[in-house]
Amino acid sequence: MRAKKKDIFFQTLENMADTIVQAADYFSKHVADLKDVDLFVKDMKDYESKCDEFTHTIITELNKTFITPLERDDILKLATTLDDVLDGLEATASRFYMYNLGQPDKYMVQFGEILRESAYEIQKAIHLLSQKKLLAIREYTIRLNDLENQGDELLRICIKELFANVTDPIELIKRKEIYERLETTTDNCEDVADILETIIMSNS
């Protein structure tokens, strides 16, 4: 007996979540030991482009599908917010090249780890969504909120240290922007959690 084909929306959302995990793993690993900035930026751009294609698939399918497994707005918001997570990672990676930053510091490494953990929580939640195990998703949305709080606290610490220890204004501006982009990407992860919570409330 053939297995039932997975709904195109759930399958594509899973593909997006899986790509976010691959990208966040790659980002976290290379930020901790950045040897080839050009390759790092290129590979992160490839992940981002892949996620853009999945977003395009969702939009195309929404335009031609009459009955969808979730509210159309919820599907679109979830897809675009997942895409925002990868956009944040890629935009940060590109700054290392544009600003000729050199080796990332310990705070960037810590942000990379928070984002890697967040990516795995997103992946678990999206796969549960495909299985329609809605209430079980809450464990992961709570964890995503906690990780976003860790990102907020880390931003406070690293900005304080930055202004205390860095006297070169150009270097200060470069690092401050990267810290803030990383923290904004943890916000994007929390946005995914918020949309999942909306879906749980609407469909439970």
Side-chain angles (χ1 to χ4, degrees), residues 55-78:
T55 306
H56 181 70
T57 298
I58 292 275
I59 293 167
T60 302
E61 291 297 325
L62 282 172
N63 284 330
K64 68 182 187 184
T65 305
F66 184 64
I67 298 174
T68 55
L70 301 167
E71 290 291 333
R72 305 171 83 81
D73 282 354
D74 288 339
I75 294 171
L76 184 58
K77 283 178 191 170
L78 188 53

Side-chain angles (χ1 to χ4, degrees), residues 13-24:
L13 290 167
E14 282 189 11
N15 291 343
M16 292 183 83
D18 294 347
T19 303
I20 288 168
V21 163
Q22 292 162 19

Side-chain angles (χ1 to χ4, degrees), residues 50-198:
K50 192 175 174 184
C51 217
D52 282 345
E53 288 172 17
F54 291 135
T55 306
H56 181 70
T57 298
I58 292 275
I59 293 167
T60 302
E61 291 297 325
L62 282 172
N63 284 330
K64 68 182 187 184
T65 305
F66 184 64
I67 298 174
T68 55
L70 301 167
E71 290 291 333
R72 305 171 83 81
D73 282 354
D74 288 339
I75 294 171
L76 184 58
K77 283 178 191 170
L78 188 53
T80 53
T81 310
L82 287 167
D83 191 48
D84 288 343
V85 174
L86 233 168
D87 285 347
L89 287 168
E90 188 275 330
T92 305
S94 71
R95 264 52 185 189
F96 291 124
Y97 172 80
M98 292 183 335
Y99 296 164
N100 195 23
L101 191 71
Q103 196 64 27
D105 62 35
K106 65 180 181 180
Y107 296 118
M108 295 171 195
V109 173
Q110 288 173 41
F111 267 118
E113 181 57 25
I114 289 171
L115 288 164
R116 190 188 72 80
E117 289 181 37
S118 298
Y120 277 96
E121 302 304 325
I122 287 170
Q123 183 187 45
K124 291 169 197 166
I126 296 295
H127 280 261
L128 283 172
L129 182 65
S130 296
Q131 298 165 40
K132 304 203 174 152
K133 295 179 178 176
L134 298 181
L135 294 179
I137 292 171
R138 282 238 159 89
E139 175 186 345
Y140 304 107
T141 61
I142 290 166
R143 179 72 179 135
L144 283 163
N145 288 325
D146 178 55
L147 287 162
E148 191 275 335
N149 288 336
Q150 290 180 35
D152 284 347
E153 180 60 23
L154 182 57
L155 182 66
R156 283 191 285 272
I157 292 166
C158 63
I159 294 289
K160 184 175 187 294
E161 183 161 315
L162 182 69
F163 278 90
N165 297 306
V166 175
T167 54
D168 179 350
I170 302 299
E171 185 69 15
L172 190 147
I173 289 165
K174 290 192 292 189
R175 289 185 179 271
K176 182 173 179 286
E177 190 197 336
I178 288 174
Y179 295 150
E180 288 172 343
R181 278 188 177 274
L182 287 162
E183 193 278 328
T184 298
T185 309
T186 69
D187 290 343
N188 296 144
C189 294
E190 187 179 44
D191 290 341
V192 173
D194 291 343
I195 292 164
L196 287 168
E197 283 288 347
T198 301

